[in-house]
Amino acid sequence: MNGPARTELERLRTVRHIYSRRQEATEATGRWFSLYVIALMLGIYVVPTAYLIGTSLNAATATALTGDGALVVINAVLCLLSALAYLLGTGQGPAYLTPFLAHTLLTGDFERRRVLLRPTLSMMTSVAAAVVGATAVAGFSVLQTGVWGPDHLWLLLSGSLFTGFHCAFFWFLGQRWAAVPRPSTAGLLIFLTLTVFAAAPLVIARSIWLAPGGWFALLWTDQASGAALAVSGAVAVVGVALMVLIPSALGGMPARTLIDQSRRIADARLYSSTGSFDDAAELFRDRPRHRGNALMRWAVRGPTTGLRGAFSGFVADVAAATRTPRRLVLGFSTMMLGVLLVSLCLGAAGPGSSQEDEDRMLILVPAILLGTALLHLGSGAIADGWRSLKDEFDAAPLFGWAARQATLRRLAWPCAAGLVAVGLGHLTALTASWWLGEHSGTAIGWSLVLTGIVLSARFMQTMRNRQMPLDSLVPIPTPFGDLSGLKVLFWVAEGLVVSLTAALGMLLLPWAWWAVLLTSAACLAVAVATGWSRTGQAWSTGAPRSRCRNTGTHAE
């Protein structure tokens, strides 16, 4: 190493050492506490759960989970996760520094790739470790059935490590692509290519060898046969090659973008520590990048009465959604993936059939929970109009709207978008059912019901107060410890809790279909009524202008 490079490296180490000494106690405590929590979760929840699943599975079910049907599913899931990671990277990627280090190191004369390489690889390693952990739990469960041997499990874990780096690389690629102004069509092309690779093996079986998640799927299902070592080596070579490209890509990262991202995460942590989770989430929402189009002008300047006035709310929501295309595509993709999982679960075991096959339930329950969570998260992109509904209630008298009219105007777009997501998700599910087996037609109806419950839960959560109530922070001492954290958790994710409870009820309750349907309708009605009660408005109150005409006075 030459003199200038050594001097720069020593200066960089000095800055990091000063910063670590500045927060030495806090960082050390946080690091050891994180390791303690991870060890506690592994020992109490993860390992016993994997052991329970493994001892409950029989050889026939394990063979089905590692057969040809699982090949296209694993590839599709990994490709779609890579596509979602790419979209997430366009907003926030793995190249992250704290505000102090970002202002100190990125605005000086340090070489940028030398500054960003270590934190970027740390974040990408975390993603790879998460993929390895999920693979270890699933692989350990199958290993106990005797379908696999220990050698195959270790080979699978090594392949999952580099597969995790592949997904993390797409996350970094999204951040790198968004940092430098480029044509937006090129970024959309990358997303569409990953989506095509997810569906291509359903039509052309040989295309599995070209898909980003195909090699891991081949290792999982043991379809590589004698070429398993070659496939694992190819995964490792591609992973290492992608890692080699990162340092040169970091050199072109603009400092302003990284500083803004670090400041945004610091502000989000501050808001979260004070209970302002809505304000923290607001920091990560896309800002409109396009000027108001003709649809927006039509919605604002159009009449406020009659059918066209009622339709103006739908047009305004559509125009607002198209001004943030990345958020819209990410939300629709997440909802489609959630509908795909939900429809496959409800098609394999509809309401009332939960007790027929306990081995199947061990797979369907986590899958429907994941699908419902994705459906709920994706619904936030189509329900942006509800966030301004409370402000619109205050402004409704200026336009001559009643509170119920303002609400009905904002219901059209989320319902229509939800129907489109359900339709596209079921088209994918019907295609996948050719390989996975049976797919009940009634699953479409149950998915629509669950989507309605998710949207009603989203409406209920959106209508709450932005600030957390102070009584939620009051300690609740019990023999099991302080339970005030449960109140905070329910306040933050009450919509998700309602959605997951409804999904589990559909799958697990041993009731007839009509009883489950009535219970789901009651759950939907209660969520809508709770959300409306939080607005403080009366449904029977008419529009201000009509009240003025009835009393013989005129509104100024």
Side-chain angles (χ1 to χ4, degrees):
M1 184 181 296
N2 53 20
R6 180 180 296 274
T7 303
E8 181 180 358
L9 183 60
E10 292 176 353
R11 291 169 55 209
L12 182 60
R13 289 178 178 175
T14 302
V15 173
R16 287 174 173 169
H17 179 69
I18 293 174
Y19 182 73
S20 63
R21 291 290 300 272
R22 174 176 172 267
Q23 293 186 346
E24 183 178 7
T26 304
E27 288 190 355
T29 304
R31 187 183 304 112
W32 286 109
F33 181 75
S34 299
L35 293 176
Y36 165 74
V37 171
I38 292 174
L40 193 65
M41 295 292 290
L42 288 175
I44 297 180
Y45 297 103
V46 178
V47 175
T49 301
Y51 180 78
L52 177 63
I53 294 175
T55 54
S56 302
L57 285 176
N58 53 37
T61 304
T63 303
L65 292 176
T66 58
D68 296 337
L71 183 69
V72 293
V73 174
I74 294 176
N75 171 70
V77 170
L78 288 176
C79 290
L80 290 177
L81 287 179
S82 299
L84 294 178
Y86 174 80
L87 287 179
L88 288 175
T90 57
Q92 178 64 55
Y96 165 74
L97 293 172
T98 60
F100 174 81
L101 292 178
H103 284 279
T104 304
L105 300 179
L106 297 180
T107 57
D109 57 348
F110 294 98
E111 190 176 359
R112 192 150 300 165
R113 60 181 180 180
R114 193 187 302 275
V115 172
L116 296 173
L117 183 59
R118 189 172 72 175
T120 302
L121 292 181
S122 299
M123 295 294 292
M124 298 178 70
T125 303
S126 301
V127 175
V131 175
V132 172
T135 305
V137 172
F140 179 72
S141 302
V142 178
L143 179 64
Q144 296 181 76
T145 63
V147 176
W148 286 342
D151 296 338
H152 182 78
L153 178 60
W154 287 113
L155 184 65
L156 189 65
L157 291 178
S158 63
S160 66
L161 175 64
F162 292 100
T163 301
F165 277 115
H166 295 175
C167 296
F169 179 79
F170 283 107
W171 184 28
F172 170 75
L173 184 62
Q175 184 184 23
R176 181 66 179 86
W177 194 271
V180 180
R182 297 178 185 272
S184 59
T185 54
L188 181 61
L189 182 62
I190 295 176
F191 176 81
L192 292 178
T193 302
L194 292 172
T195 306
V196 169
F197 276 128
L202 297 174
V203 182
I204 304 174
R206 292 292 183 180
S207 62
I208 193 73
W209 292 88
L210 302 177
W215 293 349
F216 178 77
L218 291 170
L219 290 176
W220 172 268
T221 57
D222 202 15
Q223 297 294 315
S225 62
L229 289 177
V231 172
S232 180
V235 173
V237 169
V238 172
V240 172
L242 293 177
M243 294 299 106
V244 172
L245 297 176
I246 291 179
S248 59
L250 288 173
M253 294 288 289
R256 182 175 182 82
T257 300
L258 297 174
I259 292 175
D260 291 341
Q261 290 180 357
S262 66
R263 186 183 305 155
R264 180 174 57 185
I265 292 182
D267 293 341
R269 289 177 176 175
L270 177 61
Y271 284 135
S272 301
S273 63
T274 58
S276 302
F277 296 99
D278 289 336
D279 295 332
E282 186 69 28
L283 296 173
F284 294 94
R285 295 192 183 105
D286 285 352
R287 298 296 183 265
R289 297 184 178 181
H290 306 286
R291 299 180 60 186
N293 48 28
L295 288 176
M296 182 67 72
R297 291 192 294 270
W298 183 91
V300 173
R301 299 176 183 177
T304 60
T305 58
L307 181 61
R308 189 175 180 183
F311 192 66
S312 63
F314 174 81
V315 176
D317 287 342
V318 173
T322 55
R323 296 182 67 193
T324 54
R326 180 179 61 184
R327 175 176 171 80
L328 182 62
V329 172
L330 181 60
F332 259 105
S333 303
T334 306
M335 289 187 68
M336 285 178 54
L337 183 58
V339 170
L340 174 63
L341 292 176
V342 168
S343 61
L344 291 177
C345 294
L346 295 179
S353 61
S354 61
Q355 305 302 322
E356 295 180 359
D357 191 350
E358 294 182 359
D359 293 336
R360 179 182 286 186
M361 287 299 111
L362 292 174
I363 307 301
L364 295 180
V365 169
I368 198 171
L369 289 178
L370 177 60
T372 306
L374 293 174
L375 186 60
H376 176 79
L377 293 176
S379 65
I382 63 174
D384 287 335
W386 289 344
R387 294 188 179 93
S388 59
L389 191 57
K390 283 190 174 183
D391 298 333
E392 192 170 335
F393 285 150
D394 298 333
L398 298 177
F399 302 96
W401 297 330
R404 61 175 180 270
Q405 293 173 344
T407 304
L408 293 175
R409 288 175 63 252
R410 294 294 185 179
L411 291 180
W413 164 244
C415 295
L419 288 175
V420 172
V422 170
L424 295 177
H426 272 285
L427 285 178
T428 308
L430 290 174
T431 305
S433 64
W434 296 346
W435 281 264
L436 298 177
E438 56 181 326
H439 179 74
S440 175
T442 59
I444 299 178
W446 289 113
S447 297
L448 286 173
V449 172
L450 183 59
T451 303
I453 294 176
V454 169
L455 290 178
S456 63
R458 170 68 66 177
F459 175 77
M460 179 187 68
Q461 181 173 339
T462 307
M463 291 299 105
R464 70 185 180 189
N465 294 328
R466 293 181 61 87
Q467 302 297 329
M468 180 185 298
L470 293 179
D471 57 358
S472 300
L473 303 177
V474 177
I476 306 177
T478 65
F480 305 99
D482 185 12
L483 299 183
S484 60
L486 295 178
K487 297 177 65 177
V488 176
L489 178 63
F490 185 78
W491 188 88
V492 173
E494 59 179 0
L496 181 60
V497 171
V498 172
S499 302
L500 294 178
T501 304
L504 286 177
M506 286 184 180
L507 191 64
L508 298 179
L509 288 178
W511 294 351
W513 66 269
W514 57 269
V516 178
L517 182 61
L518 289 178
T519 305
S520 302
C523 181
L524 188 150
V526 169
V528 172
T530 303
W532 175 259
S533 65
R534 292 176 174 179
T535 63
Q537 303 291 326
W539 185 262
S540 59
T541 303
R545 292 180 182 178
S546 62
R547 292 201 308 268
C548 292
R549 286 195 298 267
N550 293 335
T551 56
T553 58
H554 299 279
E556 296 296 337

